[in-house]
Amino acid sequence: MTDYVRQFKPFSEIIGQRRAIKFLKKVMASNKIPHAYLFTGIAGVGKTTAAIALTQAINCHKPMNYEGCGKCITCRQIIHDNFIDLVLVAPEGRYIKIDQIKELNRSLQFKPVSGRYRTVIIEQAETMNREAANSFLKTLEEPPPGNIIVLKVTEPLDLLPTIVSRCQKVAFRPLPSNEIKAWLIRELHQDKKRASLTARLSEGSIGKAIQISDSDFLEHRQESLLKLMKLPELEPESAIEMALEYSGKNKKATEDSMKRDPVIFELLGLWKTWYRDLMLIRIGGTEEQLINIDFTKKLKTLSNVSKIEDFIDSFMILDNAQRELIRNPNLGLLMENTVLALKRRCRV
Ligand SMILES: [Zn+2]
């Protein structure tokens, strides 16, 4: 669940990122726009939207208060997604490869075609492999004028420090659950109960909240949590069968794994929320802090069945499995080990 819908919005309509936007405007006012920004934060909190709004503001013919006018030719091109000087670089497969960076370096040598500035947005900048990162570093050291590079990353520690130090950092924070809930009710006309659950599951990401709302995520979630609850009663053979079902059995093609890995990542994350809630109840947290609010009663009952250490261990098993998944292991084996480890650890 990481490919969120890209939608144009001016700065004034971006939700919950007042600080980041204020900073971007302040820099524009100082007339010292850096050649590279590093936008940090989880997916779906407005990083790309802000980068596009920035492109509009710095290229607009009649900007007002550091916002695009929305009417001039450049603004209209940006709004309709046909502005030629807005370039997106995204991983091809798992990585951003050296060839993509070489191609980018070449194109940056030319002046922007129609705007004053060309903006290059680098999605998941942490996926640059070493070769690509080194090649990109040279561009960052001597960037051709007229270009603004926006690197997007969840966590700056995943990037080479030499890259981080050459960029102006702007942090995009996760949104408070209440703000997302209010937005879901207002914009998507969801009822309060559904909006509340969706907001809690979205982990502060409006993009994720939209995706949950547009898919059958909530139904799948229900099913996955029920399976997790049944795990302690299953025979080991059935538990392995369940793990293999999730990992897609004998499918080994890379394409399949590209599609399946994010689904498994989500599943592991969802199960983490279950143990997180159990821990929370055990340490005396309030109902208001629960994620799986629709299972409150069940969670309260189950929280007394196992030791808190078991909940912590189970959470860590899932957290480690998520990390392993990124390193591209054997998915079948990973799920098998994870499910059996959970089964051993918990009575719930
Ligand atoms: Zn304009």
Side-chain angles (χ1 to χ4, degrees), residues 295-342:
F295 281 104
T296 303
K297 224 171 135 188
K298 185 88 184 158
L299 283 163
K300 280 186 173 171
T301 314
L302 294 180
S303 69
N304 292 316
V305 181
S306 281
K307 290 182 290 184
I308 189 162
E309 288 81 2
D310 290 335
F311 298 146
I312 297 169
D313 282 352
S314 301
F315 184 92
M316 291 314 292
I317 288 165
L318 292 163
D319 197 59
N320 287 332
Q322 280 186 317
R323 279 171 218 275
E324 279 290 313
L325 190 62
I326 297 166
R327 284 189 232 128
N328 189 22
N330 177 331
L331 190 57
L333 195 64
L334 174 84
M335 282 308 284
E336 211 175 291
N337 288 339
T338 306
V339 166
L340 288 178
L342 286 179

Side-chain angles (χ1 to χ4, degrees), residues 60-62 68-72 75:
C60 172
H61 297 287
K62 280 185 182 168
C69 70
K71 290 177 189 144
C72 72
C75 279

Side-chain angles (χ1 to χ4, degrees), residues 20-266:
I21 290 164
K22 198 175 162 194
F23 177 76
L24 289 172
K25 286 188 174 183
K26 201 176 94 186
V27 174
M28 273 189 267
S30 76
N31 245 334
K32 285 180 197 149
I33 299 174
H35 61 269
Y37 280 106
L38 178 62
F39 284 7
T40 66
I42 56 167
V45 287
K47 299 192 293 298
T48 304
T49 314
I52 297 173
L54 173 71
T55 309
Q56 186 200 13
I58 55 181
N59 283 299
C60 172
H61 297 287
K62 280 185 182 168
M64 281 174 68
N65 186 26
Y66 306 101
E67 297 250 12
C69 70
K71 290 177 189 144
C72 72
I73 173 112
T74 308
C75 279
R76 278 184 285 137
Q77 282 172 346
I78 292 171
I79 291 167
H80 296 108
D81 198 16
N82 54 17
F83 182 61
I84 198 159
D85 292 314
L86 181 62
V87 181
L88 294 176
V89 178
E92 281 178 3
R94 284 176 190 276
Y95 303 103
I96 295 175
K97 297 178 180 120
I98 177 88
D99 287 345
Q100 289 174 270
I101 297 297
K102 277 186 179 164
E103 177 63 38
L104 174 68
N105 289 348
R106 259 194 302 276
S107 60
L108 292 188
Q109 301 300 325
F110 300 100
K111 278 187 183 164
V113 181
S114 68
R116 248 172 300 164
Y117 291 99
R118 176 193 290 114
T119 311
V120 179
I121 302 175
I122 304 195
E123 297 276 347
Q124 292 174 267
E126 73 277 17
T127 64
M128 269 189 262
N129 60 24
R130 187 159 283 272
E131 244 187 327
N134 283 329
S135 169
F136 182 66
L137 203 51
K138 286 185 200 123
T139 310
L140 273 185
E141 277 163 359
E142 287 175 65
N147 293 298
I148 293 176
I149 300 167
V150 179
L151 289 103
K152 284 175 55 190
V153 71
T154 309
E155 170 54 66
L157 285 173
D158 295 336
L159 277 179
L160 286 179
T162 38
I163 288 187
V164 176
S165 66
R166 283 175 175 79
C167 301
Q168 174 64 60
K169 278 194 260 341
V170 186
F172 287 73
R173 312 249 173 242
L175 272 65
S177 175
N178 279 343
E179 229 169 290
I180 297 182
K181 180 183 167 186
W183 185 87
L184 289 168
I185 294 170
R186 193 175 67 240
E187 301 292 325
L188 303 187
H189 312 294
Q190 289 186 3
D191 63 67
K192 278 186 187 166
K193 218 170 152 190
R194 193 175 177 93
S196 176
L197 180 60
T198 304
R200 283 156 197 266
L201 288 164
S202 67
E203 298 167 78
S205 158
I206 199 106
K208 189 166 175 181
I210 294 170
Q211 207 160 38
I212 290 173
S213 306
D214 285 350
S215 66
D216 46 11
F217 181 92
L218 288 183
E219 289 71 25
H220 281 305
R221 162 187 169 272
Q222 183 93 359
E223 199 185 304
S224 306
L225 287 182
L226 291 174
K227 277 198 174 170
L228 182 65
M229 279 180 247
K230 275 197 184 144
L231 189 59
E233 307 157 15
L234 291 183
E235 293 297 323
E237 295 76 22
S238 311
I240 291 173
E241 185 59 32
M242 173 180 144
L244 291 177
E245 227 169 79
Y246 277 121
S247 58
K249 281 185 179 163
N250 302 317
K251 290 178 195 164
K252 277 183 186 158
T254 323
E255 274 175 39
D256 280 338
S257 124
M258 288 302 296
K259 280 183 214 149
R260 244 180 9 254
D261 286 4
V263 176
I264 295 294
F265 195 88
E266 279 301 318

